[in-house]
Amino acid sequence: MLQILLRRTSGNLSSLNCTYAKHLKYYTTGVKKLLETSDVESNNKSTTQYATESYPNSKPTDGQLAKQLEITRLVWHPSPSMKKDEILGHYKKLSKFRLTSLVVITTMAGYAMAPAPFEISTFVMCSLGTGLVSAAANAINQYHEVPFDSQMSRTKNRVLVTGKLTPLHSIGFAVTSAACGIGLLHFGVNDLAALLSAANLFLYTSIYTPMKRMTILNTWVGSVVGAIPPLIGWAGCSGSLDIGAYILCGLLYAWQFPHFNALSWNLRPDYSRAGYRMMAVTNPDLCRRTALRYTFAIGLLSFMAPVFDITNIWFALGSLPLNGYFCYLAYKFYQHSDSGSSRKLFRYSLIHLPLLMAMFLLCKTHWIFMENADKEETSTNYSQSKSDKIANKLSNLTSTVLITSRDDTNKLLPLIPSTKAN
């Protein structure tokens, strides 16, 4: 695996160096042409000569002359262009901002669902750290896949493919983001959250990315990558993982298959041209069956949550129509296998996940502030009952002492001489 990564890295660097050398050649040639033209008159003369050579049988019009004059006056900029007003946009595209946002949202959901006190500082650092690590993983992924992204219509305009950022710049961004993200999780949250984040970074960049061109098992590995962020949030809040965290992780893991299989179905020409081993390309029947099976798995996991006292029974009942329609769209995709059914399944998956997570949060059984209120009430009642018991014991002891002293007094009275007898 390491040899494959090194070979691919060297191939990426050689192809990118050729691209940048080509851009530099164009740049130097353009600068030379611009310096050779001393004034507008010489530009017009060369433009007229070019137009005459291009159109020997016709006189060039004013529009053609103006167009050629504008071409000779082009301001040449090196590629990549590092303008300050564009660099933030390049970083946003390099980190796959929408995908990173989804990772952060699922991490927040895992934090909020954990049965532990909610701390705003830990919540912010956990979300920010996970987002930085996700951005680093996406930057490394794009660095490795430049030659293949250039062959796909969906990815041919990425910043590394078009040369808007250099490979060294992207690696520097990835290393900085990963170090800051894991550092935030380690020092600001806990060791378990940092360990899960680092493991997910390695799994995505060093196992999932090369597996995409080797075997269709990459989809299962990629689903594990997508299911770990809620575990990071859960661990960041409670400091440990329990059955509730694994059920939430299972829901995210199962959701990946109908979501990605429906997406990849309409991208089969691109994946095939770039050489990616996807189920939709190599085994379409398995692609349809897998999407259908895992939608039923989502329904089963939703019913398991109240069984293990993670949520109440209303979560299972409320998610039934949500999951039922998901299964229906997956069955239509399995039955028809066309672009329309796959597009409907993909779009509904984008709605299904946030609704299911919100329902999971609203129906969870262990709300920490409610448990604290019950504990305070119980302790108050216990202290009151204890003080009542102590007061009762003191009153009983006092009454016993008074009765005993009265009896002793009555016994001593006959021994005291009477004043009347004297």
Side-chain angles (χ1 to χ4, degrees):
M1 185 72 71
L2 183 60
Q3 291 179 352
I4 294 174
L5 289 175
L6 292 175
R7 194 182 306 116
R8 182 167 298 166
T9 302
S10 61
N12 292 349
L13 287 174
S14 61
S15 62
L16 287 173
N17 287 333
C18 292
T19 303
Y20 297 136
K22 186 178 180 181
H23 283 299
L24 182 61
K25 181 180 178 181
Y26 290 158
Y27 169 66
T28 54
T29 304
V31 170
K32 289 179 180 178
K33 288 183 178 180
L34 191 61
L35 293 175
E36 288 173 358
T37 56
S38 58
D39 52 12
V40 177
E41 183 177 356
S42 61
N43 287 339
N44 288 334
K45 184 177 179 180
S46 61
T47 302
T48 305
Q49 182 180 359
Y50 175 82
T52 305
E53 294 176 357
S54 302
Y55 305 95
N57 298 327
S58 61
K59 185 179 180 181
T61 61
D62 294 338
Q64 293 171 347
L65 291 175
K67 183 178 180 180
Q68 297 300 329
L69 180 61
E70 187 66 25
I71 291 175
T72 58
R73 290 180 177 179
L74 285 176
V75 179
W76 292 83
H77 295 285
S79 179
S81 177
M82 300 298 293
K83 294 182 180 179
K84 293 182 179 180
D85 55 344
E86 296 179 355
I87 191 66
L88 291 179
H90 295 339
Y91 283 151
K92 185 177 177 181
K93 294 178 180 178
L94 184 65
S95 62
K96 298 181 183 178
F97 182 76
R98 288 186 294 180
L99 180 59
T100 298
S101 300
L102 181 61
V103 171
V104 173
I105 290 172
T106 55
T107 305
M108 291 178 176
Y111 190 101
M113 294 172 190
F118 188 93
E119 298 179 2
I120 187 64
S121 59
T122 309
F123 174 75
V124 171
M125 285 187 285
C126 185
S127 304
L128 182 59
T130 306
L132 288 172
V133 175
S134 175
N138 290 324
I140 297 173
N141 173 264
Q142 290 191 52
Y143 167 78
H144 283 301
E145 295 184 343
V146 169
F148 317 117
D149 287 343
S150 61
Q151 303 176 48
M152 299 176 62
S153 301
R154 186 173 63 95
T155 57
K156 65 182 181 181
N157 293 321
R158 287 180 173 174
V159 290
L160 288 178
V161 177
T162 55
K164 295 177 181 178
L165 288 178
T166 63
L168 183 61
H169 202 143
S170 65
I171 291 299
F173 170 80
V175 171
T176 304
S177 298
C180 293
I182 296 175
L184 274 176
L185 292 172
H186 175 70
F187 295 104
V189 186
N190 54 53
D191 294 339
L192 181 57
L195 180 62
L196 287 172
S197 182
N200 209 26
L201 175 65
F202 175 79
L203 187 64
Y204 184 73
T205 57
S206 301
I207 298 179
Y208 169 71
T209 298
M211 280 185 69
K212 290 167 68 176
R213 296 179 58 82
M214 297 178 185
T215 173
I216 61 174
L217 294 177
N218 69 83
T219 306
W220 279 265
V221 177
S223 297
V224 174
V225 173
I228 289 180
L231 293 182
I232 298 174
W234 192 289
C237 182
S238 64
S240 61
L241 300 175
D242 53 21
I243 187 64
Y246 297 125
I247 289 178
L248 184 62
C249 175
L251 287 173
L252 265 293
Y253 175 79
W255 176 85
Q256 306 286 331
F257 289 93
H259 170 76
F260 180 74
N261 287 8
L263 171 66
S264 62
W265 189 262
N266 291 329
L267 299 175
R268 286 176 294 172
D270 275 358
Y271 284 126
S272 179
R273 184 165 53 251
Y276 288 119
R277 304 282 295 178
M278 298 297 175
M279 275 191 288
V281 177
T282 61
N283 197 337
D285 293 335
L286 180 62
C287 178
R288 299 194 302 265
R289 290 198 305 270
T290 304
L292 181 60
R293 289 171 184 170
Y294 279 96
T295 51
F296 284 103
I298 293 173
L300 180 61
L301 288 170
S302 300
F303 275 96
M304 288 177 62
V307 172
F308 289 96
D309 198 31
I310 308 302
T311 63
N312 53 38
I313 192 62
W314 293 109
F315 173 71
L317 297 177
S319 63
L320 186 61
L322 193 68
N323 296 330
Y325 189 64
F326 204 18
C327 294
Y328 170 76
L329 291 178
Y331 176 74
K332 287 294 183 182
F333 171 64
Y334 171 78
Q335 189 177 22
H336 298 291
S337 305
D338 55 4
S339 60
S341 59
S342 63
R343 194 174 292 111
K344 288 180 181 178
L345 180 60
F346 171 73
R347 290 174 179 172
Y348 182 74
S349 67
L350 299 176
I351 303 172
H352 174 269
L353 182 63
L355 291 179
L356 190 66
M357 294 295 100
M359 197 175 298
F360 194 104
L361 176 62
L362 294 175
C363 297
K364 77 172 187 176
T365 55
H366 300 287
W367 290 95
I368 194 66
F369 60 88
M370 292 183 179
E371 293 180 358
N372 290 338
D374 293 339
K375 288 180 181 179
E376 291 177 358
E377 184 178 358
T378 303
S379 62
T380 303
N381 295 334
Y382 177 74
S383 60
Q384 289 177 355
S385 62
K386 190 174 182 179
S387 61
D388 292 341
K389 287 180 180 180
I390 294 173
N392 291 333
K393 287 183 179 180
L394 288 175
S395 62
N396 292 334
L397 181 61
T398 305
S399 60
T400 303
V401 171
L402 291 175
I403 292 173
T404 304
S405 62
R406 186 181 302 170
D407 293 342
D408 294 341
T409 304
N410 292 333
K411 290 179 181 180
L412 292 174
L413 280 177
L415 300 177
I416 300 175
S418 176
T419 56
K420 290 182 180 181
N422 295 328

